[in-house]
Amino acid sequence: MLQIDGFRGIELKDKPVFDSYFTKFPPQISEYTFTNLYMWRNVYKFQWNIMQEHLVLIALRDPEKIMLFPPIGTQPDRAILGLMELADNLKTSIELIRCPENILDLIRSNSSLNAQIHINEDRDNWDYVYQQSDLANLPGKNYENERKKLNKFKNRNKWEYRPLNGDLIHKCINLQEQWCEWRGCDDESSLANENAGIQDVLNNWETLRFGGGIVLVEDQIVAFTLAEPLDTSTMVCHVEKANQEYVGAYQAINQLFAASLPTSFEFINREQDVGEINLRRAKENYHPILFVKKFKVRLI
């Protein structure tokens, strides 16, 4: 793996640094919470550094290039120029990924960058953003199918919803292990990678302290979600798992978690569909009010 002076891997002890930048410069993209980055650190081979007073995150999973996430700070376009110089010295290429429109606008307005870019829309990684009240209430004809499944679950089962806390983490671990047996995680690398990341953050909940909720039926967990604030008005859901033997379990965890949120969280970001057609259809069925569009920017 490419070694770059000053950059190092993400560790639990780095959480206060990341959190301080995310608080000062609230992100738009779902990737930018410490829990999410820690979950995927090994898959993407994340490295980070503070450069020119910006938090700079790179992924080194591709041996042919540096994959740069949007720098966090007052002038991310200037930080990008610095990374281009670094890549040139290392005789490697650089690509800016998961770039939201506000950062893209900065790049386009920077004359030193505008002539050196090639932009591609990254539809598979657009974030789906929903009105919290829509997910909590499932109003109108648009949500008729989801309401039917939810009502089946609630009417057929003696259920209970609980906010996630340290005493419930072991139940989430148990369901995640069962879910992986059902889905054959060991036979599919993407599911195996996801499973490893979920197990990692669950086992480190005491440090990460993310939120979420679980649904129980007669004290047995049937669904859980892992979530945390993205900014003061948006909650981002990183993980949602359910026992599919219970019809409507996914609808239940989705609706009950949304209904449990304080009114200050007006929006829920449910991340991307990564190009999976069934996942895209499921997310579209909940009628997002907007997408956080992202782009890949090849820096020439």
Side-chain angles (χ1 to χ4, degrees):
M1 186 173 73
L2 184 66
Q3 297 295 319
I4 304 176
D5 288 345
F7 282 80
R8 61 180 180 84
I10 295 176
E11 301 176 49
L12 284 173
K13 66 180 182 181
D14 301 323
K15 178 173 165 56
V17 178
F18 280 76
D19 286 351
S20 68
Y21 272 87
F22 294 149
T23 299
K24 190 173 182 180
F25 305 99
Q28 294 185 2
I29 59 175
S30 62
E31 288 85 354
Y32 271 172
T33 73
F34 186 78
T35 297
N36 185 68
L37 296 177
Y38 190 79
M39 185 186 303
W40 293 102
R41 72 194 188 285
N42 293 323
V43 173
Y44 281 88
K45 303 186 187 309
F46 283 137
Q47 301 271 309
W48 72 279
N49 194 8
I50 302 297
M51 299 180 65
Q52 302 175 7
E53 299 183 345
H54 288 70
L55 192 156
V56 176
L57 179 72
I58 59 176
L60 299 177
R61 68 185 301 182
D62 187 335
E64 301 298 322
K65 61 186 174 185
I66 295 172
M67 299 164 70
L68 170 67
F69 280 66
I72 304 171
T74 56
Q75 295 179 295
D77 52 326
R78 292 186 60 186
I80 291 168
L81 282 169
L83 265 294
M84 290 177 66
E85 183 177 344
L86 176 63
D88 189 53
N89 291 337
L90 292 170
K91 301 190 185 311
T92 189
S93 61
I94 188 168
E95 182 179 53
L96 179 64
I97 64 173
R98 312 297 170 86
C99 179
E101 290 180 286
N102 64 321
I103 303 296
L104 190 60
D105 289 342
L106 280 176
I107 292 171
R108 284 172 166 156
S109 64
N110 186 312
S111 58
S112 298
L113 281 172
N114 192 38
Q116 303 184 68
I117 60 174
H118 182 77
I119 301 167
N120 284 308
E121 194 173 82
D122 189 10
R123 173 63 180 86
D124 292 350
N125 283 301
W126 286 9
D127 288 336
Y128 290 72
V129 179
Y130 305 83
Q131 196 83 34
Q132 176 272 340
S133 58
D134 287 344
L135 299 191
N137 300 316
L138 301 177
K141 189 173 182 179
N142 281 342
Y143 294 96
E144 184 175 0
N145 288 335
E146 282 66 33
R147 283 199 309 275
K148 286 181 179 179
K149 292 178 182 178
L150 174 64
N151 289 334
K152 279 185 180 180
F153 177 86
K154 289 184 173 181
N155 292 333
R156 291 178 178 178
N157 301 291
K158 186 177 179 181
W159 60 272
E160 178 186 4
Y161 174 82
R162 295 187 198 171
L164 187 67
N165 60 48
D167 294 334
L168 300 173
I169 292 297
H170 71 283
K171 290 184 180 291
C172 297
I173 292 173
N174 290 341
L175 179 56
Q176 177 60 28
E177 290 173 349
Q178 293 169 7
W179 189 92
C180 263
E181 290 179 8
W182 302 326
R183 291 294 302 273
C185 288
D186 291 341
D187 300 323
E188 189 172 336
S189 60
S190 61
L191 292 180
N193 288 333
E194 180 195 53
N195 178 50
I198 292 172
Q199 297 278 2
D200 204 356
V201 297
L202 287 170
N203 283 310
N204 286 289
W205 184 85
E206 287 294 337
T207 299
L208 296 170
R209 294 283 177 162
F210 47 83
I214 76 170
V215 177
L216 303 166
V217 172
E218 298 180 353
D219 203 42
Q220 296 298 312
I221 184 171
V222 298
F224 72 86
T225 189
L226 310 181
E228 61 188 327
L230 186 62
D231 57 37
T232 57
S233 64
T234 305
M235 183 68 65
V236 58
C237 292
H238 297 309
V239 177
E240 190 176 85
K241 300 292 182 182
N243 183 336
Q244 290 184 303
E245 293 180 358
Y246 289 82
V247 174
Y250 273 107
Q251 284 74 20
I253 187 61
N254 191 325
Q255 184 268 328
L256 291 167
F257 175 70
S260 75
L261 292 177
T263 56
S264 57
F265 289 105
E266 186 179 356
F267 307 105
I268 298 177
N269 182 318
R270 300 189 68 224
E271 299 193 338
Q272 55 271 81
D273 61 44
V274 296
E276 293 185 8
I277 188 63
N278 290 333
L279 186 56
R280 179 167 296 186
R281 189 174 294 121
K283 289 182 183 288
E284 289 175 344
N285 284 346
Y286 275 94
H287 306 287
I289 60 166
L290 62 90
F291 293 100
V292 178
K293 296 180 180 180
K294 301 174 197 173
F295 302 82
K296 294 178 181 179
V297 183
R298 183 160 53 88
L299 303 168
I300 303 169

